[in-house]
Coordinates of all heavy atoms in Angstrom, one line a residue:
M1 N 96.1 66.6 144.6 CA 96.9 67.7 145.2 C 96.0 68.5 146.1 O 94.9 68.7 145.8 CB 97.5 68.6 144.1 CG 98.1 69.8 144.7 SD 98.8 71.0 143.5 CE 97.3 71.6 142.7
D2 N 96.6 68.8 147.3 CA 95.9 69.6 148.2 C 96.2 71.1 148.0 O 97.3 71.5 148.4 CB 96.2 69.2 149.6 CG 95.4 69.9 150.7 OD1 94.8 70.9 150.4 OD2 95.3 69.4 151.8
E3 N 95.4 71.8 147.2 CA 95.7 73.2 146.9 C 95.8 74.1 148.1 O 96.5 75.0 148.1 CB 94.6 73.7 145.9 CG 94.8 73.1 144.5 CD 93.8 73.7 143.5 OE1 93.1 74.7 143.9 OE2 93.8 73.2 142.4
M4 N 95.0 73.7 149.2 CA 95.1 74.5 150.4 C 96.5 74.4 151.0 O 97.1 75.4 151.5 CB 94.0 74.1 151.4 CG 94.0 75.0 152.6 SD 93.7 76.7 152.1 CE 92.1 77.0 152.8
Q5 N 97.1 73.2 151.0 CA 98.5 73.0 151.5 C 99.4 73.8 150.7 O 100.3 74.5 151.3 CB 98.9 71.6 151.5 CG 98.4 70.7 152.6 CD 99.0 69.3 152.5 OE1 98.8 68.6 151.5 NE2 99.6 68.9 153.6
V6 N 99.3 73.8 149.4 CA 100.2 74.5 148.5 C 100.1 76.0 148.8 O 101.1 76.8 148.9 CB 99.9 74.2 147.0 CG1 100.8 75.0 146.1 CG2 100.2 72.7 146.8
M7 N 98.8 76.5 148.9 CA 98.7 78.0 149.2 C 99.2 78.3 150.5 O 99.8 79.4 150.7 CB 97.2 78.3 149.1 CG 96.7 78.4 147.7 SD 97.6 79.5 146.6 CE 97.4 81.1 147.4
T8 N 99.1 77.5 151.5 CA 99.6 77.7 152.8 C 101.1 77.8 152.8 O 101.8 78.6 153.4 CB 99.1 76.7 153.9 OG1 97.7 76.7 153.9 CG2 99.7 76.9 155.2
L9 N 101.7 76.9 152.0 CA 103.2 77.0 151.8 C 103.6 78.3 151.2 O 104.6 78.9 151.6 CB 103.6 75.8 150.8 CG 105.1 75.6 150.8 CD1 105.4 74.2 151.2 CD2 105.5 75.8 149.3
V10 N 102.9 78.8 150.2 CA 103.2 80.1 149.6 C 103.1 81.2 150.7 O 104.0 82.1 150.8 CB 102.2 80.4 148.4 CG1 102.4 81.9 147.9 CG2 102.5 79.5 147.3
V11 N 102.0 81.2 151.4 CA 101.8 82.3 152.4 C 102.8 82.2 153.5 O 103.4 83.3 153.9 CB 100.3 82.2 153.0 CG1 100.2 83.1 154.2 CG2 99.3 82.5 151.9
N12 N 103.1 81.0 154.0 CA 104.1 80.9 155.1 C 105.5 81.3 154.6 O 106.2 82.0 155.3 CB 104.1 79.5 155.7 CG 102.9 79.2 156.6 OD1 102.1 80.1 156.8 ND2 102.8 78.0 157.0
S13 N 105.8 80.9 153.4 CA 107.1 81.3 152.9 C 107.2 82.8 152.7 O 108.2 83.4 153.1 CB 107.3 80.6 151.5 OG 107.3 79.2 151.7
G14 N 106.2 83.4 152.2 CA 106.1 84.9 152.0 C 106.2 85.6 153.3 O 106.9 86.6 153.5
N15 N 105.5 85.1 154.3 CA 105.6 85.7 155.7 C 107.0 85.6 156.3 O 107.5 86.5 156.9 CB 104.5 85.1 156.6 CG 103.1 85.5 156.3 OD1 102.9 86.4 155.5 ND2 102.2 84.7 156.7
A16 N 107.6 84.4 156.1 CA 109.0 84.3 156.7 C 109.9 85.2 156.0 O 110.8 85.9 156.7 CB 109.4 82.8 156.4
R17 N 109.8 85.4 154.7 CA 110.7 86.3 153.9 C 110.4 87.7 154.4 O 111.4 88.5 154.7 CB 110.4 86.2 152.4 CG 111.3 87.1 151.6 CD 110.9 86.9 150.1 NE 111.6 87.9 149.3 CZ 111.1 89.1 149.1 NH1 110.0 89.5 149.5 NH2 111.8 89.9 148.3
S18 N 109.2 88.1 154.6 CA 108.9 89.5 155.1 C 109.4 89.7 156.5 O 110.0 90.8 156.7 CB 107.4 89.7 155.1 OG 106.9 89.7 153.8
L19 N 109.3 88.7 157.3 CA 109.8 88.9 158.7 C 111.4 89.0 158.7 O 111.9 89.8 159.4 CB 109.4 87.7 159.5 CG 108.0 87.7 160.0 CD1 107.6 86.3 160.5 CD2 107.8 88.7 161.2
A20 N 112.0 88.3 157.8 CA 113.5 88.4 157.7 C 113.9 89.8 157.2 O 114.8 90.3 157.8 CB 114.0 87.3 156.7
L21 N 113.2 90.3 156.3 CA 113.5 91.6 155.8 C 113.2 92.7 156.8 O 113.9 93.7 157.0 CB 112.8 91.9 154.5 CG 113.3 91.1 153.3 CD1 112.5 91.3 152.1 CD2 114.8 91.3 153.0
E22 N 112.2 92.5 157.6 CA 111.9 93.4 158.7 C 113.0 93.4 159.8 O 113.4 94.4 160.3 CB 110.5 93.1 159.3 CG 109.3 93.5 158.5 CD 108.0 93.0 159.1 OE1 107.9 92.8 160.4 OE2 107.0 92.8 158.4
A23 N 113.5 92.2 160.0 CA 114.6 92.0 161.0 C 115.8 92.7 160.5 O 116.5 93.3 161.3 CB 114.8 90.5 161.2
L24 N 116.1 92.7 159.2 CA 117.2 93.4 158.7 C 117.1 94.9 158.9 O 118.0 95.6 159.3 CB 117.4 93.0 157.2 CG 118.6 93.7 156.5 CD1 119.9 93.4 157.2 CD2 118.7 93.3 155.1
S25 N 115.9 95.4 158.6 CA 115.6 96.8 158.8 C 115.8 97.2 160.3 O 116.4 98.2 160.6 CB 114.2 97.1 158.4 OG 113.9 98.5 158.5
D26 N 115.3 96.3 161.2 CA 115.5 96.6 162.6 C 117.0 96.6 163.0 O 117.4 97.5 163.7 CB 114.8 95.5 163.5 CG 113.3 95.7 163.5 OD1 112.8 96.8 163.2 OD2 112.6 94.8 163.9
A27 N 117.7 95.7 162.5 CA 119.1 95.6 162.8 C 119.9 96.8 162.3 O 120.8 97.3 162.9 CB 119.7 94.3 162.2
K28 N 119.5 97.3 161.1 CA 120.1 98.5 160.5 C 119.9 99.7 161.4 O 120.7 100.6 161.5 CB 119.6 98.8 159.1 CG 120.2 97.9 158.1 CD 119.7 98.0 156.7 CE 118.8 99.2 156.4 NZ 118.2 99.2 155.0
D29 N 118.7 99.7 162.1 CA 118.4 100.8 163.1 C 118.9 100.5 164.5 O 118.6 101.3 165.4 CB 116.9 100.9 163.2 CG 116.3 101.4 161.9 OD1 117.0 102.0 161.0 OD2 115.0 101.2 161.7
G30 N 119.7 99.4 164.6 CA 120.3 99.1 165.9 C 119.4 98.4 166.9 O 119.7 98.3 168.1
K31 N 118.2 98.0 166.4 CA 117.2 97.3 167.3 C 117.4 95.8 167.2 O 116.6 95.1 166.6 CB 115.8 97.7 166.8 CG 115.5 99.2 166.9 CD 114.1 99.4 166.3 CE 113.9 100.9 166.1 NZ 112.6 101.2 165.4
F32 N 118.5 95.4 167.8 CA 118.9 94.0 167.6 C 118.0 93.0 168.3 O 117.8 91.9 167.8 CB 120.4 93.8 168.0 CG 121.3 94.5 167.2 CD1 122.0 95.7 167.6 CD2 121.5 94.1 165.8 CE1 122.8 96.3 166.8 CE2 122.4 94.8 165.0 CZ 123.0 95.9 165.5
E33 N 117.4 93.4 169.5 CA 116.5 92.5 170.1 C 115.2 92.3 169.3 O 114.7 91.1 169.1 CB 116.1 93.0 171.5 CG 117.2 92.9 172.5 CD 116.7 93.4 173.9 OE1 115.5 93.4 174.2 OE2 117.6 93.6 174.7
D34 N 114.7 93.3 168.7 CA 113.6 93.2 167.8 C 113.9 92.4 166.5 O 113.1 91.5 166.1 CB 113.1 94.6 167.3 CG 112.5 95.4 168.4 OD1 112.1 94.9 169.5 OD2 112.4 96.6 168.2
A35 N 115.1 92.6 166.0 CA 115.6 91.8 164.9 C 115.7 90.3 165.2 O 115.2 89.5 164.4 CB 116.9 92.3 164.4
E36 N 116.2 90.0 166.4 CA 116.3 88.6 166.8 C 115.0 87.9 167.0 O 114.8 86.8 166.6 CB 117.2 88.4 168.0 CG 118.6 88.8 167.8 CD 119.4 87.9 166.9 OE1 119.0 86.7 166.7 OE2 120.4 88.4 166.3
A37 N 114.0 88.7 167.5 CA 112.7 88.2 167.7 C 112.0 87.9 166.4 O 111.4 86.8 166.2 CB 111.8 89.2 168.5
K38 N 112.2 88.8 165.4 CA 111.6 88.5 164.1 C 112.3 87.4 163.4 O 111.6 86.6 162.7 CB 111.7 89.8 163.3 CG 110.7 90.8 163.7 CD 110.7 92.1 163.0 CE 109.6 93.1 163.6 NZ 109.8 94.4 163.2
L39 N 113.6 87.2 163.5 CA 114.3 86.1 162.9 C 113.8 84.8 163.5 O 113.6 83.8 162.8 CB 115.8 86.2 163.1 CG 116.5 87.3 162.3 CD1 117.9 87.4 162.6 CD2 116.3 87.0 160.8
A40 N 113.6 84.8 164.8 CA 113.0 83.6 165.5 C 111.6 83.2 165.0 O 111.3 82.1 164.7 CB 113.0 83.7 167.0
E41 N 110.8 84.3 164.8 CA 109.5 84.1 164.3 C 109.5 83.6 162.8 O 108.8 82.7 162.4 CB 108.7 85.3 164.4 CG 107.2 85.1 164.0 CD 106.4 86.4 164.2 OE1 106.8 87.4 164.7 OE2 105.2 86.4 163.7
A42 N 110.4 84.1 162.0 CA 110.6 83.7 160.7 C 111.0 82.3 160.6 O 110.6 81.5 159.7 CB 111.6 84.6 160.0
D43 N 111.9 81.9 161.5 CA 112.4 80.4 161.5 C 111.2 79.5 161.8 O 111.0 78.5 161.1 CB 113.4 80.2 162.7 CG 114.8 80.5 162.3 OD1 115.1 80.3 161.1 OD2 115.6 80.9 163.1
K44 N 110.3 79.9 162.7 CA 109.1 79.1 163.0 C 108.2 79.0 161.8 O 107.7 77.9 161.5 CB 108.4 79.7 164.2 CG 107.2 78.8 164.7 CD 106.4 79.5 165.8 CE 105.2 78.7 166.1 NZ 104.3 78.4 165.0
V45 N 107.9 80.1 161.2 CA 107.0 80.2 160.1 C 107.6 79.4 158.9 O 106.9 78.6 158.2 CB 106.7 81.6 159.7 CG1 105.9 81.7 158.4 CG2 105.9 82.3 160.8
L46 N 108.9 79.5 158.7 CA 109.5 78.8 157.6 C 109.5 77.3 157.9 O 109.4 76.5 157.0 CB 110.9 79.3 157.4 CG 111.6 78.9 156.1 CD1 110.8 79.4 154.9 CD2 113.0 79.5 156.1
L47 N 109.7 76.9 159.2 CA 109.6 75.5 159.5 C 108.2 74.9 159.2 O 108.1 73.8 158.7 CB 109.9 75.3 161.0 CG 109.8 73.8 161.5 CD1 110.8 72.9 160.8 CD2 110.1 73.8 163.0
D48 N 107.2 75.7 159.5 CA 105.8 75.3 159.1 C 105.7 75.0 157.6 O 105.1 74.1 157.2 CB 104.8 76.3 159.6 CG 104.6 76.4 161.1 OD1 105.1 75.5 161.8 OD2 104.1 77.4 161.6
A49 N 106.3 75.9 156.8 CA 106.2 75.8 155.4 C 107.0 74.6 154.9 O 106.5 73.8 154.1 CB 106.8 77.1 154.7
H50 N 108.1 74.4 155.5 CA 109.0 73.2 155.2 C 108.3 71.9 155.5 O 108.4 70.9 154.8 CB 110.3 73.3 155.9 CG 111.3 72.4 155.3 ND1 111.6 71.2 155.9 CD2 112.1 72.5 154.2 CE1 112.5 70.6 155.2 NE2 112.8 71.3 154.2
E51 N 107.5 71.9 156.6 CA 106.8 70.7 157.0 C 105.7 70.4 155.9 O 105.4 69.2 155.6 CB 106.2 70.8 158.4 CG 107.2 70.8 159.5 CD 106.6 71.0 160.9 OE1 105.5 71.4 161.0 OE2 107.4 70.9 161.8
I52 N 105.1 71.4 155.4 CA 104.1 71.2 154.3 C 104.7 70.6 153.1 O 104.2 69.7 152.5 CB 103.3 72.5 154.0 CG1 102.4 72.9 155.2 CG2 102.5 72.4 152.7 CD1 101.9 74.3 155.1
Q53 N 105.9 71.2 152.8 CA 106.6 70.6 151.6 C 107.0 69.2 151.8 O 106.8 68.3 150.9 CB 107.9 71.4 151.4 CG 108.7 70.9 150.2 CD 110.1 71.4 150.2 OE1 110.8 71.5 151.2 NE2 110.6 71.8 149.0
T54 N 107.4 68.8 153.0 CA 107.7 67.4 153.4 C 106.5 66.5 153.2 O 106.6 65.4 152.7 CB 108.3 67.3 154.8 OG1 109.5 68.2 154.8 CG2 108.7 65.9 155.1
E55 N 105.4 67.0 153.7 CA 104.1 66.2 153.5 C 103.8 66.0 152.1 O 103.4 64.8 151.7 CB 103.0 66.9 154.2 CG 103.0 66.9 155.7 CD 101.8 67.7 156.3 OE1 100.8 67.9 155.6 OE2 102.0 68.3 157.4
L56 N 104.0 67.0 151.2 CA 103.7 66.8 149.8 C 104.6 65.8 149.2 O 104.2 65.0 148.3 CB 103.7 68.2 149.1 CG 102.6 69.2 149.5 CD1 102.9 70.6 148.9 CD2 101.3 68.7 149.1
I57 N 105.9 65.9 149.6 CA 106.9 65.0 149.0 C 106.6 63.5 149.5 O 106.6 62.6 148.7 CB 108.3 65.4 149.4 CG1 108.7 66.7 148.7 CG2 109.3 64.3 149.2 CD1 110.0 67.3 149.3
Q58 N 106.2 63.4 150.7 CA 105.8 62.1 151.2 C 104.6 61.5 150.5 O 104.6 60.3 150.2 CB 105.6 62.1 152.7 CG 106.8 62.3 153.5 CD 106.6 62.5 155.0 OE1 105.5 62.8 155.4 NE2 107.6 62.2 155.8
K59 N 103.7 62.3 150.2 CA 102.5 61.9 149.4 C 102.9 61.3 148.1 O 102.5 60.3 147.6 CB 101.5 63.0 149.3 CG 100.6 63.3 150.5 CD 99.7 64.4 150.2 CE 98.8 64.8 151.4 NZ 97.9 65.9 151.1
E60 N 103.8 62.1 147.4 CA 104.3 61.7 146.1 C 105.0 60.3 146.2 O 104.8 59.4 145.4 CB 105.1 62.7 145.5 CG 105.5 62.4 144.1 CD 106.1 63.6 143.3 OE1 105.9 64.7 143.7 OE2 106.9 63.3 142.4
L61 N 105.9 60.2 147.2 CA 106.6 59.0 147.4 C 105.7 57.8 147.7 O 106.1 56.6 147.4 CB 107.7 59.2 148.5 CG 108.8 60.1 148.2 CD1 109.7 60.3 149.4 CD2 109.7 59.6 147.0
N62 N 104.6 58.0 148.3 CA 103.7 57.0 148.7 C 102.7 56.7 147.5 O 101.7 56.0 147.7 CB 102.9 57.3 149.9 CG 103.8 57.3 151.2 OD1 104.7 56.5 151.3 ND2 103.5 58.1 152.2
G63 N 103.0 57.2 146.4 CA 102.1 56.9 145.2 C 100.9 57.8 145.1 O 100.1 57.6 144.2
E64 N 100.7 58.8 146.0 CA 99.5 59.6 145.9 C 99.7 60.7 144.9 O 98.8 61.4 144.6 CB 99.2 60.2 147.3 CG 98.9 59.1 148.3 CD 98.7 59.7 149.7 OE1 98.1 60.8 149.8 OE2 99.1 59.0 150.7
G65 N 101.0 60.9 144.4 CA 101.3 61.9 143.4 C 100.5 63.2 143.5 O 99.4 63.2 143.9
I66 N 101.2 64.2 143.1 CA 100.5 65.5 143.0 C 100.6 66.0 141.6 O 101.6 65.7 140.9 CB 101.1 66.5 144.1 CG1 102.6 66.8 143.8 CG2 100.9 66.1 145.5 CD1 103.1 68.0 144.6
N67 N 99.7 66.8 141.2 CA 99.7 67.4 139.9 C 100.7 68.6 140.0 O 100.5 69.5 140.7 CB 98.3 67.9 139.5 CG 98.3 68.5 138.1 OD1 99.2 68.3 137.3 ND2 97.4 69.4 137.9
V68 N 101.8 68.5 139.2 CA 102.8 69.6 139.3 C 102.3 70.7 138.4 O 102.4 70.8 137.2 CB 104.2 69.1 138.8 CG1 105.2 70.3 138.8 CG2 104.6 68.0 139.6
S69 N 101.6 71.6 139.1 CA 101.0 72.8 138.4 C 101.9 74.0 138.6 O 102.9 74.0 139.3 CB 99.6 73.1 139.0 OG 99.8 73.5 140.4
L70 N 101.6 75.1 137.9 CA 102.3 76.3 138.1 C 102.2 76.8 139.6 O 103.2 77.3 140.1 CB 101.7 77.4 137.2 CG 102.5 78.8 137.2 CD1 103.9 78.6 136.8 CD2 101.8 79.7 136.2
L71 N 101.1 76.5 140.2 CA 101.0 76.9 141.6 C 102.0 76.1 142.5 O 102.6 76.7 143.4 CB 99.6 76.6 142.1 CG 99.3 77.0 143.6 CD1 99.5 78.4 143.9 CD2 97.8 76.6 143.9
V72 N 102.2 74.8 142.2 CA 103.2 74.0 143.0 C 104.6 74.6 142.7 O 105.4 74.7 143.7 CB 103.0 72.5 142.6 CG1 104.2 71.8 143.2 CG2 101.7 72.0 143.1
V73 N 104.9 74.9 141.5 CA 106.2 75.4 141.2 C 106.4 76.7 141.9 O 107.5 77.0 142.4 CB 106.4 75.5 139.6 CG1 107.7 76.3 139.3 CG2 106.4 74.2 139.0
H74 N 105.4 77.6 141.9 CA 105.4 78.9 142.5 C 105.7 78.7 144.0 O 106.5 79.4 144.6 CB 104.1 79.6 142.3 CG 104.0 80.9 142.9 ND1 104.8 82.0 142.5 CD2 103.1 81.4 143.8 CE1 104.5 83.1 143.2 NE2 103.5 82.8 144.0
S75 N 105.0 77.7 144.6 CA 105.2 77.5 146.1 C 106.6 77.1 146.4 O 107.2 77.5 147.4 CB 104.2 76.5 146.6 OG 104.5 75.2 146.2
Q76 N 107.2 76.3 145.5 CA 108.6 75.9 145.7 C 109.6 77.0 145.6 O 110.5 77.2 146.3 CB 109.0 74.7 144.8 CG 108.2 73.4 145.0 CD 108.4 73.0 146.5 OE1 109.5 72.6 146.9 NE2 107.3 72.9 147.2
D77 N 109.3 77.9 144.6 CA 110.1 79.1 144.4 C 110.0 80.0 145.6 O 111.1 80.5 146.1 CB 109.6 79.8 143.2 CG 110.4 81.1 142.9 OD1 111.6 81.0 142.9 OD2 109.8 82.1 142.6
H78 N 108.8 80.2 146.2 CA 108.7 81.0 147.4 C 109.4 80.4 148.6 O 110.1 81.1 149.3 CB 107.2 81.1 147.8 CG 106.6 82.4 147.2 ND1 106.7 83.6 147.8 CD2 105.7 82.5 146.2 CE1 106.0 84.5 147.1 NE2 105.4 83.9 146.1
L79 N 109.4 79.1 148.7 CA 110.0 78.5 149.8 C 111.5 78.6 149.7 O 112.2 79.0 150.7 CB 109.6 77.0 149.9 CG 110.3 76.2 151.1 CD1 110.0 76.8 152.4 CD2 109.9 74.7 151.0
M80 N 112.1 78.3 148.6 CA 113.5 78.4 148.4 C 114.0 79.8 148.5 O 115.1 80.1 149.1 CB 114.0 77.8 147.0 CG 113.7 76.3 146.9 SD 114.6 75.3 148.0 CE 113.4 74.9 149.2
T81 N 113.3 80.8 148.0 CA 113.7 82.2 148.1 C 113.6 82.6 149.6 O 114.6 83.3 150.1 CB 112.7 83.1 147.3 OG1 112.8 82.6 145.9 CG2 113.1 84.5 147.4
A82 N 112.6 82.2 150.3 CA 112.5 82.6 151.7 C 113.7 82.0 152.5 O 114.2 82.6 153.4 CB 111.2 82.1 152.3
M83 N 114.0 80.7 152.2 CA 115.1 80.1 153.0 C 116.4 80.8 152.7 O 117.2 81.0 153.7 CB 115.2 78.6 152.6 CG 114.0 77.8 153.0 SD 114.0 76.1 152.4 CE 115.2 75.3 153.4
L84 N 116.7 81.1 151.5 CA 117.9 81.8 151.2 C 117.9 83.2 151.8 O 118.9 83.6 152.4 CB 118.0 82.0 149.6 CG 119.3 82.8 149.1 CD1 120.6 82.1 149.6 CD2 119.2 82.9 147.6
C85 N 116.8 83.9 151.7 CA 116.7 85.3 152.3 C 117.0 85.2 153.8 O 117.7 86.0 154.3 CB 115.3 85.8 152.0 SG 115.0 87.5 152.7
L86 N 116.4 84.3 154.5 CA 116.5 84.1 155.9 C 118.0 83.9 156.3 O 118.6 84.5 157.2 CB 115.6 83.1 156.5 CG 115.6 82.9 158.0 CD1 115.3 84.2 158.7 CD2 114.6 81.8 158.4
D87 N 118.6 82.9 155.5 CA 120.0 82.6 155.8 C 120.9 83.9 155.6 O 121.8 84.2 156.4 CB 120.5 81.6 154.8 CG 120.0 80.2 155.2 OD1 119.5 80.0 156.3 OD2 120.1 79.3 154.3
L88 N 120.7 84.6 154.5 CA 121.5 85.8 154.3 C 121.2 86.9 155.3 O 122.2 87.6 155.8 CB 121.2 86.4 152.9 CG 121.7 85.5 151.7 CD1 121.2 86.0 150.4 CD2 123.2 85.4 151.8
V89 N 120.0 87.1 155.7 CA 119.7 88.1 156.7 C 120.3 87.8 158.0 O 120.8 88.7 158.7 CB 118.1 88.3 156.8 CG1 117.8 89.2 158.0 CG2 117.6 89.0 155.6
K90 N 120.3 86.6 158.4 CA 121.0 86.2 159.7 C 122.4 86.6 159.6 O 123.0 87.1 160.6 CB 120.8 84.7 159.9 CG 119.5 84.3 160.4 CD 119.4 82.8 160.5 CE 118.0 82.3 160.9 NZ 117.9 80.8 161.1
Q91 N 123.1 86.3 158.5 CA 124.5 86.7 158.4 C 124.7 88.2 158.4 O 125.6 88.7 159.1 CB 125.1 86.2 157.1 CG 125.2 84.7 157.0 CD 126.1 84.1 158.1 OE1 127.2 84.6 158.3 NE2 125.6 83.1 158.8
L92 N 123.8 89.0 157.8 CA 123.9 90.4 157.8 C 123.6 91.0 159.1 O 124.3 92.0 159.6 CB 122.9 91.0 156.7 CG 123.3 90.8 155.3 CD1 122.1 91.2 154.4 CD2 124.5 91.6 154.9
V93 N 122.7 90.5 159.9 CA 122.4 90.9 161.2 C 123.6 90.7 162.1 O 124.0 91.6 162.9 CB 121.1 90.3 161.8 CG1 121.0 90.5 163.3 CG2 119.9 90.7 161.1
A94 N 124.2 89.5 162.0 CA 125.5 89.2 162.7 C 126.6 90.2 162.4 O 127.3 90.7 163.3 CB 125.9 87.8 162.5
I95 N 126.7 90.6 161.2 CA 127.7 91.6 160.8 C 127.4 92.9 161.4 O 128.3 93.6 161.9 CB 127.8 91.7 159.2 CG1 128.5 90.4 158.7 CG2 128.6 92.9 158.8 CD1 128.4 90.3 157.2
L96 N 126.1 93.3 161.3 CA 125.7 94.6 161.8 C 125.9 94.7 163.3 O 126.2 95.8 163.9 CB 124.3 94.9 161.5 CG 124.0 95.3 160.0 CD1 122.5 95.3 159.7 CD2 124.6 96.6 159.6
K97 N 125.8 93.6 164.0 CA 126.0 93.6 165.5 C 127.4 93.9 165.9 O 127.7 94.4 166.9 CB 125.6 92.2 166.0 CG 124.2 92.0 166.3 CD 124.0 90.6 167.0 CE 122.6 90.4 167.5 NZ 122.5 89.1 168.1
T98 N 128.4 93.6 165.0 CA 129.8 93.8 165.3 C 130.2 95.2 165.0 O 131.3 95.6 165.4 CB 130.7 92.8 164.5 OG1 130.5 93.1 163.1 CG2 130.3 91.4 164.7
K99 N 129.4 96.0 164.4 CA 129.8 97.4 164.1 C 129.5 98.3 165.3 O 128.7 98.2 166.1 CB 129.1 97.9 162.9 CG 129.6 97.2 161.7 CD 129.1 97.8 160.4 CE 129.8 97.1 159.2 NZ 129.6 97.9 158.0

């Protein structure tokens, strides 16, 4: 297992989630351009995290297997939480724009 990849996945997922929540705060303040910029950045960071996840899955499928440690489980939790958060924040920003 490449622990550096797993830690990068955790960091990128956390950064994407933080950016999404900052975007929501901007949208609540009526700063929709700032919110959209942060959402776009969150999308990019989350894509980087998802690419790492895909690499780890491909390694496992190629017989290189990874040790499923608490850190790996934690990284998956962070990724899924960030993906859900970003999806929900995008919907909330869209709703706030209509008000």
Side-chain angles (χ1 to χ4, degrees):
M1 170 182 69
D2 186 343
E3 288 184 9
M4 188 56 114
Q5 278 185 306
V6 175
M7 285 305 300
T8 302
L9 190 123
V10 170
V11 169
N12 285 356
S13 298
N15 288 344
R17 182 179 170 275
S18 293
L19 284 163
L21 293 175
E22 288 175 22
L24 180 57
S25 181
D26 285 344
K28 286 178 7 185
D29 293 339
K31 301 175 187 172
F32 294 109
E33 286 183 20
D34 292 343
E36 293 296 336
K38 286 179 181 162
L39 288 174
E41 187 177 351
D43 273 329
K44 182 186 177 307
V45 173
L46 197 57
L47 178 62
D48 291 343
H50 194 261
E51 287 174 356
I52 292 169
Q53 180 194 43
T54 301
E55 287 176 28
L56 293 171
I57 290 170
Q58 287 174 341
K59 283 181 182 179
E60 185 169 335
L61 291 173
N62 290 328
E64 297 175 38
I66 62 170
N67 180 26
V68 180
S69 66
L70 184 57
L71 181 59
V72 171
V73 173
H74 181 64
S75 72
Q76 294 304 296
D77 181 49
H78 265 281
L79 180 59
M80 294 298 103
T81 302
M83 291 172 78
L84 177 60
C85 180
L86 185 55
D87 288 343
L88 291 173
V89 167
K90 286 178 181 179
Q91 293 297 314
L92 289 169
V93 169
I95 290 168
L96 287 170
K97 277 185 173 180
T98 64
K99 290 188 174 197

